[in-house]
Amino acid sequence: MNAPVPVLMYHALAREPSEATRALSVSPEAFAEQLAVLEDLGRHPVTTADLAAHWRTQGRSPLPENPVLITFDDGYEGVHRHALPLLVKHGFPATLFVSTGWLRGAHDTGGGLDTMLDWDQVRDLAAGGVEIGGHSHTHPQLDQLDDEALWSELIRCKEIVAAELGTVPVSFAYPYGYSSRRVRQRVRAAGFRQALAVGNGLARRAQGPYALQRLTVRRSTTTEEFARLVQGRAIARNFAGDRALTKGYALVRRARQVRRKAIRTRV
């Protein structure tokens, strides 16, 4: 099956989110409605690893009909408190991408934007059918890091997840959704088998396993909009503003990279 697949990107689930996460948070009630929509539409959630394996093996690793991915970034506590019971109720798998330095516990660097998961909760999620993937250690803009710092972010994240869960993570999501050829090559070299960007489009096999696109679900997403996104309808119109901002920011990021290279050359 090479048909495009909707990959849904969530962040915090909370009734009273922090100011920093408000725009990208979803209320537990809205999330429950959205899972009901998936069920009504006959969508069958799979993990990131499942989808990538299916496309990598050209279909020899089977998928159910009408697949969809439910993914969470960063590692907010509400994923355990609110999402896990609903996912279990529906029998839906999902993928959680954790920034290991944001989670509560021995590795915490204090960068979390709201109440974050602790490692016991991450283990509960894994036991409940949630694939745990990497999202860097401190959630930086990876394409703005030098080679040494980039490698450290990837390897430290991978090693911490493996040590805490006893399972090596195989999926990765780029912080802020941005990557570059260098970043994608390093993610692959670090041992991750697939990686997700944002892009606000449907995931397609032609994008390659290290640049799969996702659809942002935010607090302002209505049930009707959500249903259209899952069906691949009106995506361009829904995310027109996001794409304009992304193009502009891409130019800024490239200018920064050129400037840093010029400085290194002079030094």
Side-chain angles (χ1 to χ4, degrees):
M1 183 204 74
N2 291 326
V5 174
V7 182
L8 307 171
M9 181 182 69
Y10 291 91
H11 287 78
L13 262 69
R15 293 188 178 91
E16 297 181 4
S18 69
E19 197 57 40
T21 65
R22 179 172 298 279
L24 289 176
S25 73
V26 172
S27 73
E29 293 76 16
F31 184 69
E33 288 184 13
Q34 290 161 4
L35 294 190
V37 168
L38 295 181
E39 201 160 63
D40 290 344
L41 291 175
R43 288 285 177 172
H44 297 94
V46 299
T47 66
T48 303
D50 290 337
L51 177 64
H54 177 77
W55 280 342
R56 185 180 292 109
T57 62
Q58 297 183 336
R60 292 192 299 276
S61 179
L63 284 182
E65 282 188 84
N66 299 319
V68 63
L69 273 66
I70 302 168
T71 72
F72 303 91
D73 280 8
D74 302 343
Y76 297 100
E77 191 270 345
V79 177
H80 181 272
R81 180 188 300 269
H82 301 298
L84 181 57
L86 291 167
L87 292 169
V88 170
K89 175 184 175 182
H90 287 272
F92 286 173
T95 303
L96 166 67
F97 296 103
V98 295
S99 293
T100 48
W102 282 16
L103 302 191
R104 289 180 289 150
H107 319 288
D108 190 353
T109 62
L113 302 179
D114 205 334
T115 304
M116 308 305 292
L117 295 163
D118 63 33
W119 285 101
D120 284 340
Q121 292 172 322
V122 176
R123 282 184 277 272
D124 282 349
L125 285 157
V130 177
E131 176 194 1
I132 308 300
H135 197 45
S136 80
H137 185 57
T138 64
H139 203 282
Q141 298 175 13
L142 294 178
D143 61 336
Q144 303 297 303
L145 301 181
D146 62 32
D147 289 344
E148 182 178 356
L150 170 59
W151 187 248
S152 176
E153 283 286 337
L154 299 176
I155 291 299
R156 193 167 186 196
C157 174
K158 178 184 174 184
E159 290 179 346
I160 289 173
V161 172
E164 292 286 351
L165 303 185
T167 304
V168 178
V170 296
S171 302
F172 189 84
Y174 306 109
Y176 305 102
Y178 294 107
S179 70
S180 63
R181 180 177 297 178
R182 178 179 66 102
V183 170
R184 292 190 290 273
Q185 289 173 340
R186 292 287 84 193
V187 167
R188 180 174 182 175
F192 293 101
R193 302 293 306 279
Q194 50 273 331
L196 300 181
V198 181
N200 285 317
L202 298 176
R204 303 172 187 273
R205 185 168 182 260
Q207 292 162 0
Y210 293 94
L212 297 174
Q213 294 190 14
R214 293 189 284 176
L215 299 164
T216 305
V217 184
R218 46 172 68 99
R219 203 166 193 83
S220 60
T221 303
T222 67
T223 301
E224 293 74 18
E225 288 171 337
F226 180 83
R228 288 197 294 270
L229 293 179
V230 171
Q231 296 173 86
R233 295 164 44 207
I235 290 176
R237 183 174 73 243
N238 200 75
F239 293 110
D242 299 71
R243 289 179 175 174
L245 288 172
T246 298
K247 288 180 180 179
Y249 195 36
L251 293 174
V252 172
R253 297 169 78 82
R254 282 197 290 271
R256 288 176 183 169
Q257 290 170 336
V258 169
R259 189 161 57 247
R260 280 199 302 274
K261 287 180 181 178
I263 292 171
R264 287 198 297 269
T265 301
R266 289 199 297 271
V267 172

